[in-house]
Amino acid sequence: MARIVMKFGGTSVADLNRIHNVARHVKREVDAGHEVAVVVSAMSGKTNELVGWVENMPKVAGSNAPFYDAREYDAVVASGEQVTSGLLAIALQSMGINARSWQGWQLPIKTDNAHGAARILDIDGADIIRRMGEGQVAVVAGFQGLGPDNRLATLGRGGSDTSAVAIAAAVRADRCDIYTDVDGVYTTDPRIEPKARRLKKIAFEEMLEMASLGAKVLQVRSVELAMVHKVRTFVRSSFEDPDAPGMGDLMNPPGTLICDEDEIVEQEVVTGIAYAKDEAQISLRRLADRPGVSAAIFGPLAEAHINVDMIVQNISEDGSKTDMTFTVPSGDVDKALKVLGENKETIGYDVIQSESGLVKVSVIGIGMRSHAGVAASAFRALADKGINIKAITTSEIKISILIDGPYAELAVRTLHSVYGLDKS
Ligand code: ADP
Ligand code: ASP
Ligand code: MG
């Protein structure tokens, strides 16, 4: 007997038939004698609709600012998961399974106060464990918890993955299965590159980079939690027949295992390619080249909660003036330009330029630590396709390249093939 947490994403619970299908996956594990807890997302598209309602509330006459309250945003957008958790509990009950739905505040899943992007602080797993022991399946609404202000708090988009891994850690589950609409983690987004290959295993660090650099198959925070708490996490498909051979395999279910790098016997140099759309570049021209200039730029941006990513500073020709270029999410450009405009005197630049609609393509692999020339092959391959590189950043296990938006798919495919990732 094992203890398993099963998470089902939006497309897996998109309608009543899909929810019935999910119930069959759960029944398979219950019938095999395992202790099971389930985490669900909202029906696909639902959270977007709810966010749209909050953001499109008609403005008060005479005011430009949309009325916005982060606590009420959470109250509204968390409702999608309330519906699916109840519906799945009903579907399970109709199959003769003892099931009960739980909202984040009922367990409770305690979070910090960052409404809209809260972090889970603590889950007391004892109650779920006791109920599992009595043969009850807890169906937990993902994406939500209870803040210190005693109000609903949501975990950021894609947050149900994090709910699932956190619950798996809290109940010391043997496995956390993330069921989605693809049958595992691929070498790149299979919707962009049909030649992408499914990975049998991927190391925590690589998955962390893939997720942070744009592969939304798992929320970044869920990978961090899995790594810290050593949760054995699989990404697998809910679209396969729940009773097909091998689906109930305890040690090696079909899908991708996220694990320690020592568990991976044949480590490739490059494991995957990720991409993030909607990046923007801001350049400050003819800045005074003096100590403190970076602090004068990035301090105010940080205070305004603007996430700066790639930073490139030119070496100045004569030691007096330089240029600084950096990227921010496209949605933050206006805010960033405003902050930089307000601080023009203290920063001391001449002109400011910005460009939106850029894409960051990243090459990821733990094997890069011990291999030279990985970056050079990327640059050569992109040059051969006539793709201009606007900025580059590297770390031990990744190279990120900023390019013009329209070249995104070509760049992903080119890099995928150059590192031998295409399936034969
Ligand atoms: P869910 O609703 O189940 O949480 P998501 O849409 O959040 O599903 O994540 C699954 C999607 O992630 C897939 O449909 C796929 O297009 C995308 N994706 C991006 N990169 C990858 C990758 N490297 N491997 C697998 N899927 C990926
Ligand atoms: N329903 C939420 C979202 O769409 C959480 C999730 O699906 O993981 O972001
Ligand atoms: Mg998701």
Side-chain angles (χ1 to χ4, degrees):
M1 192 214 47
R3 187 174 287 166
I4 303 174
V5 172
M6 307 171 78
K7 179 259 171 177
F8 296 91
T11 41
S12 304
V13 294
D15 56 38
L16 295 181
N17 286 331
R18 302 275 346 138
I19 291 177
H20 178 79
N21 179 65
V22 160
R24 289 179 56 212
H25 280 283
V26 176
K27 184 171 180 344
R28 179 190 66 236
E29 305 295 358
V30 172
D31 287 351
H34 302 313
E35 290 184 346
V36 177
V38 183
V39 174
V40 283
S41 293
M43 292 182 181
S44 62
K46 191 36 120 180
T47 311
N48 287 346
E49 183 187 27
L50 296 168
V51 170
W53 285 348
V54 175
E55 288 178 348
N56 295 317
M57 181 69 78
K59 292 170 195 151
V60 176
S63 147
N64 270 329
F67 184 77
Y68 190 82
D69 182 292
R71 289 174 176 75
E72 302 313 338
Y73 167 96
D74 279 348
V76 176
V77 305
S79 63
E81 275 74 7
Q82 174 158 350
V83 173
T84 46
S85 56
L87 287 173
L88 180 58
I90 292 171
L92 288 167
Q93 288 171 5
S94 76
M95 292 178 181
I97 294 169
N98 177 3
R100 183 59 67 206
S101 71
W102 296 92
Q103 306 308 300
W105 59 267
Q106 288 173 307
L107 285 175
I109 295 176
K110 289 193 186 149
T111 72
D112 66 13
N113 214 12
H115 283 274
R119 283 165 78 93
I120 295 178
L121 299 178
D122 180 51
I123 303 175
D124 182 357
D127 200 36
I128 305 183
I129 293 176
R130 183 179 59 75
R131 286 168 186 277
M132 283 171 154
E134 291 166 3
Q136 191 175 88
V137 173
V139 184
V140 182
F143 183 50
Q144 50 168 274
L146 183 69
D149 53 0
N150 221 20
R151 301 199 59 92
L152 260 170
T154 60
L155 309 178
R157 298 305 305 270
S160 300
D161 298 329
T162 302
S163 311
V165 175
I167 289 171
V171 303
R172 299 181 300 279
D174 298 292
R175 228 172 64 202
C176 180
D177 289 358
I178 307 282
Y179 285 82
T180 181
D181 56 3
V182 279
D183 59 0
V185 178
Y186 279 68
T187 45
T188 193
D189 188 344
R191 292 188 204 288
I192 287 238
E193 175 51 281
K195 289 188 205 138
R197 271 191 289 120
R198 186 176 70 182
L199 297 160
K200 192 79 199 114
K201 293 178 179 176
I202 181 170
F204 284 121
E205 276 106 311
E206 290 173 322
M207 193 62 237
L208 204 52
E209 292 285 4
M210 291 276 278
S212 345
L213 294 167
K216 68 164 189 163
V217 60
L218 287 176
Q219 198 197 34
V220 178
R221 181 80 185 125
S222 71
V223 188
E224 282 171 4
L225 285 181
M227 186 157 103
V228 171
H229 297 285
K230 300 233 172 290
V231 178
R232 205 169 167 78
T233 303
F234 283 86
V235 174
R236 56 188 297 189
S237 169
S238 76
F239 284 72
E240 282 162 42
D241 176 0
D243 300 314
M247 288 297 281
D249 191 318
L250 189 56
M251 292 314 290
N252 284 305
T256 302
L257 172 65
I258 328 286
C259 59
D260 277 329
E261 63 182 280
D262 333 332
E263 267 197 65
I264 301 175
V265 187
E266 282 178 50
Q267 183 71 59
E268 307 285 341
V269 177
V270 169
T271 303
I273 315 286
Y275 65 96
K277 288 190 170 156
D278 295 324
E279 302 278 314
Q281 177 175 280
I282 297 180
S283 298
L284 299 175
R285 302 283 178 211
R286 293 182 288 285
L287 277 169
D289 194 8
R290 58 174 168 80
V293 72
S294 297
I297 298 170
F298 299 116
L301 290 173
E303 275 163 34
H305 303 289
I306 296 169
N307 228 335
V308 174
D309 182 18
M310 309 170 103
I311 303 178
V312 184
Q313 182 180 353
N314 284 356
I315 306 282
S316 72
E317 227 171 90
D318 59 359
S320 72
K321 298 280 177 192
T322 183
D323 290 338
M324 181 88 80
T325 297
F326 53 90
T327 61
V328 297
S330 280
D332 282 347
V333 180
D334 291 344
K335 197 157 112 187
L337 293 177
K338 185 162 172 277
V339 169
L340 294 166
E342 285 163 1
N343 289 276
K344 184 162 195 240
E345 292 295 304
T346 28
I347 303 171
Y349 57 87
D350 189 3
V351 280
I352 187 164
Q353 294 164 329
S354 69
E355 192 181 355
S356 294
L358 306 179
V359 167
K360 183 173 67 175
V361 182
S362 305
V363 178
I364 296 137
I366 278 181
M368 272 187 220
R369 282 187 198 137
S370 49
H371 275 79
V374 180
S377 350
F379 304 151
R380 167 66 26 229
L382 295 178
D384 287 346
K385 298 281 181 195
I387 301 174
N388 188 35
I389 298 176
K390 293 174 157 291
I392 302 163
T393 52
T394 61
S395 79
E396 234 189 353
I397 65 163
K398 71 124 205 274
I399 306 155
S400 292
I401 299 168
L402 189 70
I403 58 169
D404 282 322
Y407 291 104
E409 299 194 0
L410 178 62
V412 168
R413 293 202 188 108
T414 302
L415 296 174
H416 195 265
S417 136
V418 122
Y419 294 112
L421 298 175
D422 288 358
K423 71 175 161 216
S424 39

